Amino acid sequence: MPRFLTEFFKRNGILMGGLMLGLVLFWTIGLIILPQLSMLDFSFRPNLPPPEMGGPKDVYTLENYHHLIFGPEGASAAYNYIDLGVFFRTIVAAVCITIFNLILCYPIAYYLGQSRGNHVRIFALMLIIPYWINEILRAFALRIIFGQTGVLNTLLVSLGIFDQPYDFIRNDIALYAGLGYAYILLMIFPIYNVIESLDRNQIEAARDMGASWVRIHRRVVIPYAKPGISSGCTMVFMLSAGALAAPQILGGPSSLWFTQIIYQWFNDNSNWPQGAAYAVVLLVTCILLVMAAMRLFKVNMGDIGK
Amino acid sequence: MSRGVGVELKDLWIQFDDFVAVRDANVAVEGGKFFSFLGPSGCGKTTILRAVSGFLDPSEGDILIGGKSMRGIGPNKRPTALIFQNLALFPLMKVWENIAFSMEITGASAKARRKRADELLDMIALSDQGDKLPSELSGGQRQRVAIARALCAEPDVLLLDEPLSALDLKLRQHMRTELREIQQRVGITFIYITHDQGEALTMSDHIAVMKAGVIDQIGTGKDVYNDPATPFVASFVGENNVFRGKVKTVSGGEALISTNRSGDLLARISPANQGLLKPGDDAMLFIRPEAFSLSQSQTAGNTRVTARVTNEEFEGNAFNIFMEGDLGKQIKVAIPNLGQSFESRQGQTIALEYDMRNAVAMPAGPMATE
C-alpha cells in the first residue's frame, strides 16, 4: 500500500477511512467515469432497435462522428455545415462569454477581496441571493427584460434612443447576457478567494515604487490571482459551452446551441449513439481548449484546485 | 547630488474619526542621518511613517521633504521608499526582478535592470541569488533584498517600518550593524520605526520617543537614555527603577526628594525639566539598575538606599538582585559579572548606593506600561 494511503488510514481509522475512500471512489468511478465510458461506447455503435442490440449488426463504427463532420450519407454538401457551424459558434461564443465575464468580474472580485468591513459581506450576499431563484425563472426574467415589449425596449423607445423595439432575442444579445449572468458567481468567487489573501502591502510597495494601477495589476495582482482566474474561467467556459436551459429560453428561433442539437438527438430523435458522439466531441474539444489555454498562460493543474 | 535630504514634520496632526493618532508633531530630521521613532505599539509611529510615504493624508500640518511641501503628492511621486514590516517582496518575481521593479516603471531595458540588480546584489552580499524566488531565501537574506529593492529607486529618504521584528535575536542584532553600515555607505536619510529601544539606540543618530500620539522627547540616544524628559521616556527607554515622592528642596540642578519608603534621595534634574520642580511638588526619581552598587562603606557624596532582597537571578553578564520597591515595583540592581563570587542575600535587608549624577528627578507623570 502506498504511503499516503497508510497515513490516510492511520489518521482516519479503518472504518471512517474506508467509508470516505469508498464514497469518493463511488462518486468518481460509479457516477462519473463509468457513465462517460458507456457514453463513449455508445458513440461508436450504430443506432439499433433494442432487439438487435448485441446482434450481428452491433459492431463498432465511426458513422456517428462521420455524420457530424460530413452530414448524412448521400447529402449534397461536402460537410455538415449546419451542425459544425453551431458547434464552432457555441465554442466561440462560450470563449467570448468567458472573456467578457472575466473583464466584468475581475474588478468586482478585486474590490471585494481588498475591502474590509461589513459592506463586503452585504455585497457578497447581494450577489448570492439572486441564485436562490432557479435557473429557469432567472432566464425567463431576462426574457421579460429583453423581450419586444420588455422593460429595456420600453425604456429605450420612450427615451427616444431607438425608434422601434430592438429584437434582443433574435440577435442573441439576450442569450449572451443570460449565459454571462448565469455563471457570474463562479467567476467572482474563485478570484475573490485568491485576492483576499493577497498581502495589501505588496500593492502599496508597488505603488510606493511608482507603479501605475495598470502595472500593479499586471505585475502583482493578476499573477497572484492567476489560479483563481483560471479556475473561474474554466468553470464558466465549460458550463456555458454545456448550458441548455439558457439557450432554450433565451436563444433566438434561428440560433441553436450545440447542446440543443445533442438534446434533440437523445430526446426527439431517440438516437442515443448519435447524441453520445456529439457530446463526446463537445467534451473533448472543451477539455483540449482548456488545457491549451492552461499551457498558454502557464497554469498548473494543481492551481485550478485553489 | 540629491543625497542627504531632510524631512520636516510641521504641526502634524493625524486623526481618524475621533481618534487622534498623531498630535502636533514637530520634527526636523537632518539630511543623511539615521532617525528613529521609538514607542510602544499604537503610539502613532507607523501613522507618521505612512504620512511621510504618502499613503495617508495629514489632517492638519504639513510634511516637507527637502524643503518641499508634500501636500497632494502621492506615494508614487515622493522621493521616499518604504520598507514594510513584512517586507512585502513580490513572491512570484525572482529576486533580481524584485530589486529592479522600480526600474520597470521608468522603462529601463531588461538588460539594464539586470545589471543594476546585480550591482545591488553585490552590495548586499547575495551575488548569485538573483534568479531565486524570495521564498527560497532565508529571513535575513529577504531582509537585505527588501533593502536593495528600496534603494534601487535611489530614494532621498528610506522609510523602514520595524523591518527587523520578524527576525530572531542573533540575526536582528547582526542586521542592526548592517543597516547602520548601509545607511552610512549610501548616505541618504533613514527614518526608522521601532518599539525596540535597543534597535533605536544602536542605530540612530537621533531618536524621537513617542507615547499615545505625542512626541515626548527628541535627542541622541545618549540624551534620551541619560536625560529622559518624562517619566514615560525614563521608563520606556531601557530599564529603570522608579522612586516616587515629594520634592523637599531644590538647589541648582539638584533636588532632594522625600520618598515613600526609601527616605530622602538626592538626584539631578534632567535638562528638559530644569525649573519645573518646586518644593512640595510630586516628583519621580529614576535610577538605572546598573547605577547602583552594593554599599560596603558609603562612598563620600553617594546616596544610600536600603531594601529587603526578594529575589536574585543570574543573567550571564550580570547578577540581578530584586528588592522591595516603590509603586508595587521591584528595585532591580544589576551587578556586572566579572568573575567575582556572589553570595546570596535572599531575605536580607541590604544597603545600596548611587552617585547622584546617575539619578534623574522630574515631575511625576504617567510611565510606560510593560
Side-chain angles (χ1 to χ4, degrees):
Chain A
M1 201 154 44
R3 226 179 83 178
F4 74 92
L5 266 188
T6 29
E7 251 169 48
F8 176 77
F9 279 117
K10 208 180 281 172
R11 201 159 353 111
N12 300 294
I14 296 287
L15 190 71
M16 209 46 208
L19 189 67
M20 286 199 285
L21 199 66
L23 283 174
V24 169
L25 288 179
F26 170 71
W27 182 51
T28 47
I29 297 175
L31 297 181
I32 301 173
I33 296 177
L34 287 181
Q36 292 305 322
L37 284 177
S38 113
M39 273 295 148
L40 192 67
D41 182 60
F42 259 122
S43 74
F44 288 108
R45 289 179 187 278
N47 189 28
L48 298 170
E52 285 185 44
M53 280 189 191
K57 284 190 185 167
D58 198 353
V59 288
Y60 283 117
T61 165
L62 286 172
E63 97 183 35
N64 297 315
Y65 293 94
H66 189 274
H67 185 279
L68 169 60
I69 300 169
F70 302 105
E73 296 286 336
S76 51
Y79 292 99
N80 186 352
Y81 288 113
I82 296 176
D83 289 359
L84 284 177
V86 173
F87 176 71
F88 287 116
R89 204 174 59 90
T90 301
I91 297 288
V92 169
V95 170
C96 292
I97 286 165
T98 307
I99 293 169
F100 174 75
N101 246 350
L102 176 61
I103 292 168
L104 188 74
C105 295
Y106 176 80
I108 298 174
Y110 175 77
Y111 171 76
L112 286 179
Q114 287 291 299
S115 313
R116 297 285 175 272
N118 256 338
H119 67 287
V120 172
R121 258 182 298 164
I122 294 167
F123 205 117
L125 210 60
M126 279 162 52
L127 284 170
I128 292 168
I129 285 176
Y131 287 80
W132 293 359
I133 299 161
N134 70 52
E135 201 185 346
I136 311 265
L137 279 182
R138 265 185 289 133
F140 273 111
L142 282 176
R143 231 193 133 93
I144 292 169
I145 292 170
F146 285 111
Q148 281 286 344
T149 55
V151 180
L152 199 58
N153 268 323
T154 315
L155 191 74
L156 288 172
V157 170
S158 67
L159 283 175
I161 296 170
F162 288 153
D163 301 338
Q164 55 190 52
Y166 182 75
D167 197 341
F168 290 107
I169 293 187
R170 188 174 295 274
N171 290 298
D172 285 336
I173 288 175
L175 171 61
Y176 297 143
L179 281 172
Y181 175 54
Y183 306 115
I184 222 165
L185 283 191
L186 296 171
M187 186 65 94
I188 290 178
F189 280 104
I191 304 178
Y192 162 74
N193 261 338
V194 190
I195 289 185
E196 202 195 9
S197 67
L198 172 63
D199 174 16
R200 279 205 269 182
N201 283 350
Q202 284 184 22
I203 295 169
E204 294 203 338
R207 204 146 73 89
D208 187 52
M209 282 182 274
S212 61
W213 281 114
V214 174
R215 185 178 299 275
I216 290 173
H217 280 281
R218 195 163 60 77
R219 291 289 280 148
V220 180
V221 186
I222 292 177
Y224 187 84
K226 212 157 76 172
I229 292 174
S230 44
S231 77
C233 287
T234 311
M235 284 197 277
V236 169
F237 172 71
M238 291 287 194
L239 288 171
S240 9
L244 185 61
Q248 286 286 42
I249 296 164
L250 294 166
S254 61
S255 66
L256 273 175
W257 207 246
F258 196 64
T259 48
Q260 289 173 287
I261 299 184
I262 298 174
Y263 180 82
Q264 284 170 2
W265 281 122
F266 275 104
N267 256 39
D268 304 348
N269 304 337
S270 296
N271 189 343
W272 277 48
Q274 189 64 68
Y278 276 41
V280 166
V281 169
L282 181 65
L283 178 71
V284 170
T285 311
C286 286
I287 289 175
L288 287 178
L289 265 177
V290 167
M291 281 169 49
M294 280 167 61
R295 171 76 53 98
L296 184 66
F297 294 106
K298 300 198 179 78
V299 182
N300 296 322
M301 203 42 128
D303 292 340
I304 299 271
K306 277 184 189 167
Chain B
M1 200 65 182
S2 63
R3 294 289 150 92
V5 168
V7 176
E8 242 182 296
L9 312 183
K10 278 197 169 159
D11 305 321
L12 191 68
W13 184 289
I14 300 171
Q15 195 162 349
F16 305 107
D17 298 324
D18 287 343
F19 175 70
V20 180
V22 178
R23 200 179 281 269
D24 262 330
N26 278 291
V27 180
V29 179
E30 247 179 274
K33 297 283 186 191
F34 199 121
F35 190 98
S36 293
F37 285 93
L38 171 65
S41 55
C43 73
K45 55 193 195 299
T46 299
T47 308
I48 287 188
L49 200 74
R50 291 180 63 78
V52 174
S53 59
F55 285 111
L56 206 128
D57 289 324
S59 316
E60 305 269 340
D62 202 358
I63 294 164
L64 287 83
I65 300 178
K68 270 204 308 235
S69 168
M70 287 294 127
R71 230 164 230 298
I73 297 178
N76 46 351
K77 300 272 189 288
R78 295 191 184 192
T80 58
L82 177 59
I83 297 181
F84 290 81
Q85 188 163 10
N86 64 357
L87 307 183
L89 294 176
F90 306 124
L92 301 172
M93 291 184 208
K94 286 177 181 164
V95 165
W96 79 267
E97 290 178 293
N98 260 287
I99 291 176
F101 183 77
S102 59
M103 292 174 73
E104 276 182 34
I105 292 140
T106 52
S109 69
K111 214 173 141 197
R113 281 186 281 138
R114 182 73 212 227
K115 188 164 166 284
R116 175 89 175 114
D118 283 340
E119 283 168 21
L120 284 159
L121 280 164
D122 282 344
M123 188 194 88
I124 57 170
L126 287 177
S127 299
D128 300 323
Q129 318 279 332
D131 285 313
K132 289 190 176 170
L133 288 174
S135 57
E136 294 168 313
L137 300 182
S138 70
Q141 291 173 327
R142 278 205 289 272
Q143 186 72 58
R144 301 208 287 262
V145 171
I147 294 166
R149 182 176 73 171
L151 290 176
C152 182
E154 302 194 322
D156 294 328
V157 181
L158 191 66
L159 308 168
L160 303 100
D161 185 7
E162 305 212 30
L164 303 187
S165 55
L167 304 179
D168 61 52
L169 182 68
K170 273 266 180 289
L171 197 53
R172 204 156 63 217
Q173 286 171 341
H174 172 73
M175 285 307 296
R176 284 179 194 173
T177 323
E178 200 160 310
L179 264 180
R180 181 69 177 145
E181 273 172 17
I182 290 174
Q183 192 267 333
Q184 280 167 348
R185 205 169 335 141
V186 295
I188 61 170
T189 313
F190 274 40
I191 296 182
Y192 192 89
I193 294 295
T194 184
H195 65 270
D196 181 328
Q197 36 108 7
E199 281 177 18
L201 290 173
T202 46
M203 293 189 286
S204 322
D205 293 306
H206 293 98
I207 301 173
V209 186
M210 283 188 79
K211 167 194 72 184
V214 178
I215 294 174
D216 263 22
Q217 187 173 5
I218 302 176
T220 64
K222 256 191 212 144
D223 291 342
V224 170
Y225 192 84
N226 292 339
D227 297 311
T230 64
F232 175 79
V233 176
S235 52
F236 188 75
V237 181
E239 283 184 285
N240 233 330
N241 293 302
V242 60
F243 300 86
R244 193 184 188 114
K246 285 207 186 303
V247 178
K248 215 169 178 180
T249 58
V250 179
S251 69
E254 296 170 15
L256 187 65
I257 291 164
S258 114
T259 64
N260 303 342
R261 55 191 302 165
S262 305
D264 291 353
L265 300 179
L266 194 60
R268 106 196 129 76
I269 301 169
S270 68
N273 294 301
Q274 292 289 347
L276 295 180
L277 282 178
K278 295 185 304 296
D281 283 355
D282 280 328
M284 280 179 168
L285 192 151
F286 291 92
I287 305 171
R288 303 262 176 212
E290 66 270 22
F292 281 116
S293 55
L294 295 179
S295 181
Q296 311 297 340
S297 57
Q298 193 175 354
T299 317
N302 277 9
T303 309
R304 246 182 132 130
V305 180
T306 56
R308 203 172 67 84
V309 176
T310 56
N311 201 9
E312 291 169 328
E313 64 182 26
F314 174 61
E315 209 191 330
N317 59 345
F319 299 97
N320 297 326
I321 307 172
F322 295 95
M323 282 163 284
E324 287 171 349
D326 205 0
L327 296 172
K329 289 188 172 155
Q330 294 180 312
I331 300 173
K332 181 182 174 184
V333 177
I335 312 288
N337 173 17
L338 306 169
Q340 79 274 38
S341 66
F342 183 81
E343 57 171 296
S344 171
R345 293 174 185 79
Q346 192 95 31
Q348 297 171 17
T349 298
I350 59 167
L352 304 166
E353 62 177 72
Y354 66 88
D355 185 331
M356 111 335 136
R357 279 171 298 182
N358 293 325
V360 188
M362 61 191 72
M367 294 196 297
T369 48
E370 264 96 306

mmCIF file of all heavy atoms in Angstrom, chain B residues 252-269:
data_model
loop_
_atom_site.group_PDB
_atom_site.id
_atom_site.type_symbol
_atom_site.label_atom_id
_atom_site.label_comp_id
_atom_site.label_asym_id
_atom_site.label_seq_id
_atom_site.Cartn_x
_atom_site.Cartn_y
_atom_site.Cartn_z
ATOM 1 N N GLY B 252 20.246 74.561 42.713
ATOM 2 C CA GLY B 252 20.967 74.407 41.458
ATOM 3 C C GLY B 252 20.204 73.439 40.586
ATOM 4 O O GLY B 252 18.996 73.533 40.430
ATOM 5 N N GLY B 253 20.877 72.460 40.023
ATOM 6 C CA GLY B 253 20.198 71.476 39.206
ATOM 7 C C GLY B 253 19.867 70.223 39.994
ATOM 8 O O GLY B 253 19.664 69.165 39.413
ATOM 9 N N GLU B 254 19.825 70.320 41.314
ATOM 10 C CA GLU B 254 19.612 69.120 42.117
ATOM 11 C C GLU B 254 18.342 69.232 42.941
ATOM 12 O O GLU B 254 17.919 70.315 43.297
ATOM 13 C CB GLU B 254 20.802 68.916 43.072
ATOM 14 C CG GLU B 254 22.099 68.647 42.343
ATOM 15 C CD GLU B 254 23.285 68.687 43.300
ATOM 16 O OE1 GLU B 254 23.054 68.644 44.523
ATOM 17 O OE2 GLU B 254 24.417 68.767 42.799
ATOM 18 N N ALA B 255 17.758 68.097 43.212
ATOM 19 C CA ALA B 255 16.558 68.089 44.046
ATOM 20 C C ALA B 255 16.698 66.995 45.086
ATOM 21 O O ALA B 255 17.232 65.921 44.812
ATOM 22 C CB ALA B 255 15.324 67.842 43.196
ATOM 23 N N LEU B 256 16.233 67.285 46.282
ATOM 24 C CA LEU B 256 16.166 66.262 47.321
ATOM 25 C C LEU B 256 14.709 65.841 47.392
ATOM 26 O O LEU B 256 13.811 66.674 47.552
ATOM 27 C CB LEU B 256 16.644 66.831 48.660
ATOM 28 C CG LEU B 256 16.771 65.789 49.770
ATOM 29 C CD1 LEU B 256 17.859 64.774 49.449
ATOM 30 C CD2 LEU B 256 17.048 66.459 51.109
ATOM 31 N N ILE B 257 14.480 64.552 47.252
ATOM 32 C CA ILE B 257 13.099 64.082 47.179
ATOM 33 C C ILE B 257 12.839 63.141 48.333
ATOM 34 O O ILE B 257 13.603 62.198 48.575
ATOM 35 C CB ILE B 257 12.842 63.403 45.828
ATOM 36 C CG1 ILE B 257 12.890 64.484 44.750
ATOM 37 C CG2 ILE B 257 11.502 62.702 45.802
ATOM 38 C CD1 ILE B 257 13.041 63.974 43.378
ATOM 39 N N SER B 258 11.784 63.440 49.038
ATOM 40 C CA SER B 258 11.472 62.564 50.165
ATOM 41 C C SER B 258 10.521 61.490 49.662
ATOM 42 O O SER B 258 9.392 61.759 49.258
ATOM 43 C CB SER B 258 10.902 63.411 51.297
ATOM 44 O OG SER B 258 9.583 63.106 51.536
ATOM 45 N N THR B 259 11.022 60.245 49.625
ATOM 46 C CA THR B 259 10.248 59.163 49.012
ATOM 47 C C THR B 259 9.421 58.443 50.053
ATOM 48 O O THR B 259 9.639 58.581 51.259
ATOM 49 C CB THR B 259 11.168 58.161 48.319
ATOM 50 O OG1 THR B 259 11.994 57.558 49.322
ATOM 51 C CG2 THR B 259 12.048 58.839 47.287
ATOM 52 N N ASN B 260 8.480 57.653 49.556
ATOM 53 C CA ASN B 260 7.555 56.988 50.459
ATOM 54 C C ASN B 260 8.243 55.952 51.332
ATOM 55 O O ASN B 260 7.962 55.833 52.507
ATOM 56 C CB ASN B 260 6.465 56.296 49.642
ATOM 57 C CG ASN B 260 5.740 57.297 48.759
ATOM 58 O OD1 ASN B 260 5.830 58.495 48.999
ATOM 59 N ND2 ASN B 260 5.055 56.806 47.742
ATOM 60 N N ARG B 261 9.176 55.185 50.765
ATOM 61 C CA ARG B 261 9.733 54.114 51.583
ATOM 62 C C ARG B 261 11.243 54.080 51.602
ATOM 63 O O ARG B 261 11.808 53.261 52.336
ATOM 64 C CB ARG B 261 9.171 52.756 51.175
ATOM 65 C CG ARG B 261 9.347 52.420 49.707
ATOM 66 C CD ARG B 261 8.537 51.202 49.333
ATOM 67 N NE ARG B 261 8.896 50.026 50.120
ATOM 68 C CZ ARG B 261 8.158 48.934 50.190
ATOM 69 N NH1 ARG B 261 7.020 48.879 49.559
ATOM 70 N NH2 ARG B 261 8.551 47.896 50.896
ATOM 71 N N SER B 262 11.915 54.906 50.841
ATOM 72 C CA SER B 262 13.372 54.828 50.807
ATOM 73 C C SER B 262 14.047 56.063 51.393
ATOM 74 O O SER B 262 15.218 56.315 51.153
ATOM 75 C CB SER B 262 13.857 54.626 49.378
ATOM 76 O OG SER B 262 13.233 53.492 48.828
ATOM 77 N N GLY B 263 13.312 56.868 52.140
ATOM 78 C CA GLY B 263 13.913 58.036 52.763
ATOM 79 C C GLY B 263 14.148 59.148 51.764
ATOM 80 O O GLY B 263 13.562 59.160 50.677
ATOM 81 N N ASP B 264 15.009 60.085 52.115
ATOM 82 C CA ASP B 264 15.289 61.219 51.242
ATOM 83 C C ASP B 264 16.363 60.833 50.239
ATOM 84 O O ASP B 264 17.432 60.355 50.618
ATOM 85 C CB ASP B 264 15.768 62.416 52.064
ATOM 86 C CG ASP B 264 14.645 62.980 52.915
ATOM 87 O OD1 ASP B 264 13.494 62.508 52.741
ATOM 88 O OD2 ASP B 264 14.910 63.848 53.758
ATOM 89 N N LEU B 265 16.081 61.060 48.961
ATOM 90 C CA LEU B 265 17.046 60.698 47.921
ATOM 91 C C LEU B 265 17.414 61.942 47.124
ATOM 92 O O LEU B 265 16.554 62.768 46.802
ATOM 93 C CB LEU B 265 16.453 59.633 46.983
ATOM 94 C CG LEU B 265 16.055 58.314 47.629
ATOM 95 C CD1 LEU B 265 15.458 57.375 46.596
ATOM 96 C CD2 LEU B 265 17.246 57.649 48.315
ATOM 97 N N LEU B 266 18.676 62.027 46.785
ATOM 98 C CA LEU B 266 19.171 63.178 46.048
ATOM 99 C C LEU B 266 19.285 62.805 44.563
ATOM 100 O O LEU B 266 19.712 61.697 44.237
ATOM 101 C CB LEU B 266 20.549 63.569 46.599
ATOM 102 C CG LEU B 266 21.095 64.937 46.181
ATOM 103 C CD1 LEU B 266 20.164 66.051 46.636
ATOM 104 C CD2 LEU B 266 22.499 65.132 46.756
ATOM 105 N N ALA B 267 18.907 63.706 43.697
ATOM 106 C CA ALA B 267 19.013 63.437 42.254
ATOM 107 C C ALA B 267 19.228 64.730 41.496
ATOM 108 O O ALA B 267 18.923 65.810 42.003
ATOM 109 C CB ALA B 267 17.736 62.763 41.757
ATOM 110 N N ARG B 268 19.712 64.586 40.273
ATOM 111 C CA ARG B 268 19.846 65.777 39.442
ATOM 112 C C ARG B 268 18.578 65.913 38.611
ATOM 113 O O ARG B 268 17.885 64.923 38.330
ATOM 114 C CB ARG B 268 21.128 65.624 38.614
ATOM 115 C CG ARG B 268 21.049 65.317 37.209
ATOM 116 C CD ARG B 268 22.410 64.824 36.726
ATOM 117 N NE ARG B 268 22.209 63.577 36.010
ATOM 118 C CZ ARG B 268 21.710 63.549 34.766
ATOM 119 N NH1 ARG B 268 21.449 64.655 34.132
ATOM 120 N NH2 ARG B 268 21.503 62.401 34.175
ATOM 121 N N ILE B 269 18.266 67.151 38.275
ATOM 122 C CA ILE B 269 17.064 67.380 37.476
ATOM 123 C C ILE B 269 17.492 67.365 36.010
ATOM 124 O O ILE B 269 18.453 68.049 35.641
ATOM 125 C CB ILE B 269 16.408 68.726 37.840
ATOM 126 C CG1 ILE B 269 16.050 68.724 39.329
ATOM 127 C CG2 ILE B 269 15.178 68.986 36.986
ATOM 128 C CD1 ILE B 269 15.635 70.074 39.866
#
